[in-house]
Amino acid sequence: MALKAGIVGLPNVGKSTLFNAITKKNILAANYPFATIDPNIGVVVVPDSRLELLEQIYQPEEVLPTTYEFTDIAGLVKGASQGEGLGNKFLSHIREVDAIVEVVRCFNDPEIIHVTNKIDPIEDIEVINVELILSDLEMIENRINRIGKKAQMTKDKAELFEYELLLKCSESLKNNIPLRRLDFSPEELFVLKSFHLITIKPIIYLANVDEETAIVGGNEYTKLVEEYASHENASVIVMSAKIESELSELSDDDKQKFLADIGIKNSGLDRLIFATYNLLGLETFFTAGKVEVRAWTYVKGMKAPECAGIVHTDFQRGFIKAEIMSFSDLEKYGSELKVKEAGRMRLEGKEYLMQDGDICYFRFNV
């Protein structure tokens, strides 16, 4: 599944440094606004220790972890919804992502310019959120003006449903409430999907701190961000983009030693990757054999035929059954044969809801 998380924030908050660390790409990370003009896209590997056991058992030619994309989007400024800075270009890029990672500056450094010449993380967050709200509001108001009178005159059920839904969204945005804070029915979400609204996307706030603060876990700025995020049930990841950039240059063994030396258990990037993965409601199933062991991303709640379609469209079209064992059973019994002998291998049909850690062999006929 081609899933994307967009990294956004004001200029000079550490977005590009973070992106460099995530993808180990050497993109421009300059100390001035708009160093990043076009969105940079990098593929991120989702760490999964279960692949190590699968590799030991199956001895495959290739091991492929599951991945998704991080997109580094140009810095936003006040007035972007009216075209200020890189305005409309920024907003078009952010409409294409599935989730937002908003980087917030939570460190003092006189050598790194801030666009407003002061450190105020809540003001920074609200600058961005207001611009995103205004952008969504303009799109919704334009649609209301196009269909409103017609829907009221014709009494067409579908158009009236859309019209009333858009009025609900408009009222929320006019009250400075992003759409992700509202409850929508599946039918409403289906209608809104075509609009690619920004404020309906799930969000994580990433508090970028200095090295000392990363070790202790927070400061007065990060506490403000956490309080703000609590009002919309959003997660906050406290990390130092500078430390993560340094870690990205090390081998896995050296990375663990470095983390132990500075007293940090898990890297900020790993925490961000898992948090983003969870934010999108994603889980992992596996296919395993002598040729390939592979992790696949799916959305929690998907049924076996849909997951078969992730592997190949023919698998879904001609789906018959899924032969499935759980990773925990394979770990317990030590081999696929012993799982079968224990009666823990099972055949599942079209209504089976996939579970995280399922190891699958899809039977199909086309």
Side-chain angles (χ1 to χ4, degrees), residues 67-337:
T67 63
Y68 61 88
E69 291 182 356
F70 267 109
T71 303
D72 179 32
I73 299 171
L76 183 64
V77 293
K78 189 173 183 179
S81 57
Q82 281 77 49
E84 292 294 324
L86 297 170
N88 294 327
K89 193 170 187 178
F90 170 97
L91 295 169
S92 67
H93 292 150
I94 198 174
R95 290 192 187 282
E96 298 170 4
V97 304
D98 301 293
I100 298 169
V101 177
E102 186 168 329
V103 182
V104 186
R105 179 169 171 173
C106 293
F107 64 89
N108 295 306
D109 189 337
E111 294 184 4
I112 299 179
I113 302 165
H114 189 285
V115 289
T116 62
N117 294 317
K118 63 178 178 179
I119 309 301
D120 187 336
I122 303 307
E123 182 178 312
D124 291 356
I125 289 172
E126 291 183 341
V127 164
I128 289 181
N129 288 354
V130 165
E131 296 304 325
L132 301 186
I133 283 172
L134 289 174
S135 179
D136 276 357
L137 182 60
E138 181 182 11
M139 180 176 288
I140 286 173
E141 290 291 303
N142 287 340
R143 180 63 177 167
I144 288 173
N145 291 335
R146 282 198 298 272
I147 71 165
K149 288 183 180 179
K150 181 184 175 184
Q152 291 171 309
M153 288 176 61
T154 63
K155 303 297 181 183
D156 179 86
K157 287 185 178 180
E159 289 187 341
L160 276 174
F161 181 80
E162 179 184 346
Y163 175 63
E164 290 169 2
L165 173 60
L166 293 176
L167 288 177
K168 171 183 173 180
C169 293
S170 175
E171 181 181 2
S172 173
L173 295 171
K174 285 178 179 176
N175 287 311
N176 204 33
I177 300 172
L179 299 180
R180 61 179 166 269
R181 296 190 189 181
L182 302 187
D183 291 323
F184 293 107
S185 69
E187 294 77 15
E188 289 174 325
L189 289 173
F190 180 79
V191 172
L192 293 176
K193 187 176 181 179
S194 63
F195 291 94
H196 300 288
L197 297 166
I198 301 172
T199 65
I200 205 169
K201 299 178 188 296
I203 192 168
I204 288 175
Y205 293 102
L206 192 153
N208 186 20
V209 299
D210 56 40
E211 295 94 319
E212 291 182 5
T213 302
I215 294 170
V216 299
N219 58 23
E220 68 274 18
Y221 297 135
T222 63
K223 289 177 183 176
L224 293 173
V225 175
E226 288 166 352
E227 182 182 356
Y228 185 95
S230 68
H231 297 304
E232 50 186 16
N233 295 317
S235 298
V236 177
I237 302 293
V238 177
M239 60 182 281
S240 166
K242 186 175 180 182
I243 287 178
E244 300 302 324
S245 183
E246 293 171 358
L247 284 171
S248 69
E249 303 298 324
L250 302 177
S251 67
D252 288 342
D253 288 343
D254 288 343
K255 174 181 170 182
Q256 293 306 318
K257 186 176 184 301
F258 181 91
L259 288 172
D261 287 345
I262 63 176
I264 296 178
K265 291 184 179 180
N266 298 306
S267 78
L269 285 185
D270 285 351
R271 287 186 283 115
L272 175 61
I273 289 168
F274 288 129
T276 311
Y277 203 66
N278 292 332
L279 182 68
L280 293 171
L282 305 179
E283 293 183 331
T284 302
F285 72 90
F286 302 95
T287 53
K290 287 294 184 184
V291 175
E292 176 186 277
V293 163
R294 183 163 184 171
W296 302 85
T297 297
Y298 73 99
V299 178
K300 187 176 182 180
M302 290 178 72
K303 296 180 179 179
E306 296 174 282
C307 288
I310 294 171
V311 179
H312 197 288
T313 53
D314 284 349
F315 289 11
Q316 181 172 5
R317 187 159 55 93
F319 181 88
I320 300 173
K321 292 282 185 180
E323 188 173 313
I324 294 175
M325 61 179 164
S326 69
F327 176 84
S328 59
D329 281 339
L330 182 61
E331 186 177 35
K332 177 180 178 180
Y333 294 103
S335 74
E336 188 174 310
L337 177 61

Side-chain angles (χ1 to χ4, degrees), residues 19-63:
F19 184 81
N20 285 347
I22 287 175
T23 62
K24 299 184 180 179
K25 287 187 177 181
N26 186 27
I27 62 168
L28 179 61
N31 179 26
Y32 54 87
F34 313 127
T36 308
I37 297 175
D38 294 316
N40 295 279
I41 298 174
V43 176
V44 173
V45 171
V46 179
D48 197 325
S49 61
R50 294 175 293 186
L51 286 171
E52 296 174 11
L53 179 62
L54 292 176
E55 183 177 11
Q56 290 173 18
I57 292 173
Y58 287 94
Q59 297 292 306
E61 297 174 14
E62 191 173 20
V63 177

